[in-house]
Amino acid sequence: MNKSRILLPAALCLLLPLAAQAQPPRGSATGTGSDILQDLADARRDIRADLADARKEVRADLAQAKQELETGNLELDNSMQFGKRSHHAKYGKNALPHAEITPDGDLLIDGTAQQINPSQRRQLLAYRGLVVEVAKTGIDIGQQSAEAALHAVDGSWVGLLFGAMTGSLERRIERTVKEQVEPGVRTICRMLPRVRDSQQRLSASVPQFRPYANLEADDVTDCEDDVRREFASR
């Protein structure tokens, strides 16, 4: 689970154009002192406006993702992939039909609602709620990391330009993102025992769900060690 590798390129794609924009306009060296100061002030204002727009865009996109998690169907064949195994490795690629849990607690397999009783529906809803909670925590980590990365470059144009030229900007962004991501991923690791307990109860109660129960015991116990090793290697 290498969240930093996912988030850092996205953050850099967002931020590096600002470094280019931060450069004073060509030919400014031949202008008057007041013209140069005005050009620098304009560049700084533009950078701050772009950073503000980027923050708004990140917040809006992630808020929409949360809303879709809450109101959409939870796809079982694409959720809770941990460790070296996946349900494809366990059951064979494309062996499992598409399965979802709806916000009302229905279990759909290939679009067909399975027969369930009220107790099974409550268990399906409980499991769905826990997986959605994990996913929303991941979204929160992404938002915090993206905003921290944006904050890391919200300084003077001189510092931004120097950082971009020397590579210190990228290192500062990576360090900032790592500081935000690692504690959040550990939080997700600590949520997994509840998810697995719910998964196991649901598997025992609803046989149709059993092939989609792909969170293994060692995925839970090894999670924090895997995170520690991953971040130590960076």
Side-chain angles (χ1 to χ4, degrees):
M1 296 174 57
N2 187 356
K3 299 289 185 184
S4 62
R5 288 183 181 173
I6 295 172
L7 292 170
L8 181 59
L12 289 174
C13 287
L14 201 65
L15 298 171
L16 290 180
L18 301 180
Q21 186 181 21
Q23 300 180 56
R26 292 184 179 179
S28 60
T30 62
T32 66
S34 60
D35 289 340
I36 294 172
L37 290 175
Q38 184 60 51
D39 288 341
L40 295 178
D42 290 344
R44 181 175 177 81
R45 185 178 61 251
D46 290 344
I47 290 170
R48 288 193 174 277
D50 286 344
L51 287 169
D53 289 343
R55 288 188 178 97
K56 290 178 183 178
E57 185 175 351
V58 166
R59 291 168 185 166
D61 288 347
L62 296 182
Q64 181 179 350
K66 280 189 175 182
Q67 180 67 19
E68 290 173 355
L69 279 171
E70 293 171 354
T71 60
N73 293 348
L74 174 68
E75 297 184 356
L76 297 178
D77 36 343
N78 290 322
S79 66
M80 304 308 290
Q81 298 297 303
F82 287 90
K84 297 179 180 179
R85 294 172 309 282
S86 69
H87 69 294
H88 289 316
K90 188 174 180 180
Y91 291 97
K93 187 176 180 181
N94 300 324
L96 294 176
H98 185 63
E100 302 171 293
I101 301 175
T102 72
D104 293 328
D106 288 309
L107 175 61
L108 308 181
I109 297 181
D110 266 350
T112 301
Q114 306 299 295
Q115 291 293 326
I116 56 173
N117 60 40
S119 176
Q120 291 170 323
R121 185 180 300 277
R122 285 193 296 270
Q123 289 178 315
L124 284 160
L125 284 171
Y127 175 77
R128 182 185 188 280
L130 288 171
V131 175
V132 168
E133 184 181 355
V134 170
K136 289 169 71 174
T137 300
I139 290 174
D140 288 339
I141 295 169
Q143 179 171 342
Q144 293 164 8
S145 301
E147 293 196 6
L150 290 169
H151 181 73
V153 297
D154 191 2
S156 71
W157 75 267
V158 175
L160 180 60
L161 180 58
F162 180 79
M165 293 175 63
T166 62
S168 64
L169 173 61
E170 182 176 350
R171 292 192 296 273
R172 183 165 73 249
I173 293 171
E174 182 168 355
R175 182 174 63 252
T176 300
V177 170
K178 177 181 176 180
E179 290 170 354
Q180 292 290 325
V181 169
E182 186 172 4
V185 176
R186 289 180 183 276
T187 297
I188 290 178
C189 289
R190 292 164 191 153
M191 298 168 72
L192 296 185
R194 292 170 56 211
V195 177
R196 177 163 164 80
D197 288 346
S198 178
Q199 172 193 269
Q200 296 305 98
R201 288 193 297 271
L202 185 56
S203 295
S205 175
V206 182
Q208 304 97 308
F209 170 81
R210 198 169 299 147
Y212 302 92
N214 52 23
L215 182 61
E216 304 286 357
D218 56 351
D219 294 331
V220 175
T221 57
D222 294 345
C223 184
E224 288 203 59
D225 287 339
D226 290 342
V227 171
R228 189 180 302 109
R229 283 193 298 269
E230 182 62 41
F231 281 96
S233 68
R234 296 195 63 83

